[in-house]
């Protein structure tokens, strides 16, 4: 079991420190933001699985009751293969540390979901003030697209039940039909890919563990990559130039092409649309996706290897 814990720790540290730093320096994620998002999620899943499996093994080694429950269906040869009785002294400290980490992660996720629900409720309340529901006698229900009377050009997707796409009259006046289609397609791209859930997850992990490079970079890159992915969705339907012009028109008042840090991402998105980078080959995309999907299997393979060897 000691060897399993050491291997799990090595895999977790590798995925948590050097891998995210290499990913942030790589150039290919800008060419394939969807694939990059998948790779980031697989790295996070790998670290979380390493922690969960190490917690299970460490707890089973320290507490006989947990060991009896965890290995109850297994034959004696499998239990003997893990050699739980010879657990090192640091296994107890590791188990306590991982248990605290699991509890803290759960608390951060719960807090993020509660906060998101609260913010969504406030946004919907503000929306009802600006666009109140019509009387039921008129038989007109609010649809998925809502137009607000506002000279400020804006458009956004509000998740929830039911989800709504909101666009202001300022955006309608400023954008051409094709540009408006690009903006709406961009927002629908966020909704269809459920980017809101991915943002909640990355924010919760970065808030709970800000000093872990994987979670900090995961949050930063997720906020960036989801916008690039939605831009690609819009550009495939409406064209790169139309999408870039729509982005400029919609954000011109924010200084989309300024050098300030708050608007740097907007400028990068416009430049990327005006000079789109070449996509990776289909073979390269498939290979990267497959390899990333196999990485989270490493902690499972390490954990179950002694038992499978005993059975074989």
């Amino acid at each position: 079991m000691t060897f399993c814990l050491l291997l799990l720790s090595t895999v977790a540290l590798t995925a948590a420190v050097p891998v995210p730093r290499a990913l942030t320096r790589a150039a290919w994620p800008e060419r394939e933001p969807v694939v990059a998002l998948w790779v980031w999620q697989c790295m996070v899943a790998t670290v979380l699985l390493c922690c969960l499996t190490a917690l299970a093994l460490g707890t089973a080694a320290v507490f006989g009751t947990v060991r009896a429950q965890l290995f109850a269906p297994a034959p004696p040869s499998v239990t003997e293969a893990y050699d739980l009785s010879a657990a090192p002294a640091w296994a107890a400290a590791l188990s306590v540390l991982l248990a605290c980490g699991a509890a803290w992660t759960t608390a951060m996720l719960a807090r993020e979901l509660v906060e998101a629900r609260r913010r969504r409720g406030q946004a919907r309340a503000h929306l009802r003030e600006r666009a109140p529901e019509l009387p039921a006698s008129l038989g007109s229900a609010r649809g998925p697209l809502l137009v607000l009377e506002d000279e400020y050009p804006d458009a956004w997707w509000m998740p929830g039940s039911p989800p709504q796409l909101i666009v202001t009259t300022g955006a309608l006046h400023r954008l051409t039909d094709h540009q408006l289609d690009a903006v709406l397609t961009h927002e629908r791209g966020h909704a269809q890919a459920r980017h809101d859930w991915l943002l909640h997850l990355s924010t919760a992990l970065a808030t709970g563990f800000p000093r872990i490079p994987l979670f900090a970079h995961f949050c930063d890159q997720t906020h960036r990559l989801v916008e690039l992915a939605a831009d690609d969705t819009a550009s495939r339907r409406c064209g790169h130039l139309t999408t870039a012009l729509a982005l400029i028109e919609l954000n011109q008042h924010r200084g989309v092409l300024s050098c300030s840090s708050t608007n740097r991402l907007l400028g990068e998105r416009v430049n990327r649309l005006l000079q789109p980078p070449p996509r990776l080959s289909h073979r390269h995309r498939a290979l990267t996706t497959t390899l990333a999907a196999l990485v989270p299997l490493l902690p499972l393979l390490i954990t179950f290897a002694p038992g499978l060897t005993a059975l074989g």
Side-chain angles (χ1 to χ4, degrees), residues 67-157:
R67 184 190 316 168
Q69 294 293 327
L70 193 62
F71 289 88
S77 59
V78 173
T79 306
E80 294 172 0
Y82 285 93
D83 196 17
L84 297 173
S85 59
W90 50 265
L94 179 64
S95 300
V96 173
L97 180 64
L98 291 175
C100 293
W104 184 246
T105 301
T106 304
M108 290 296 100
L109 289 172
R111 191 184 78 163
E112 176 63 24
L113 292 178
V114 170
E115 283 295 312
R117 185 175 182 179
R118 182 186 62 81
R119 292 192 298 266
R120 190 161 56 242
Q122 291 178 344
R124 288 190 177 277
H126 181 62
L127 191 61
R128 283 193 295 268
E129 293 178 0
R130 298 178 63 186
E133 296 281 0
L134 295 175
S137 59
L138 296 180
S140 178
R142 181 176 292 174
L145 177 62
L146 178 65
V147 178
L148 289 181
E149 183 68 35
D150 192 341
E151 63 180 9
Y152 189 84
D154 206 354
W156 69 95
W157 184 272

Side-chain angles (χ1 to χ4, degrees), residues 1-2 29 39 57 89 96 103 120 133 153-154 169-170 190 193 220 234 248 251 266 278 283-284 286 301:
M1 190 206 70
T2 303
V39 172
L57 289 177
V96 173
R120 190 161 56 242
E133 296 281 0
D154 206 354
T169 53
H190 283 310
D220 294 338
I248 293 174
N251 296 278
L266 288 171
R283 180 177 176 274
H284 197 167
L301 180 62

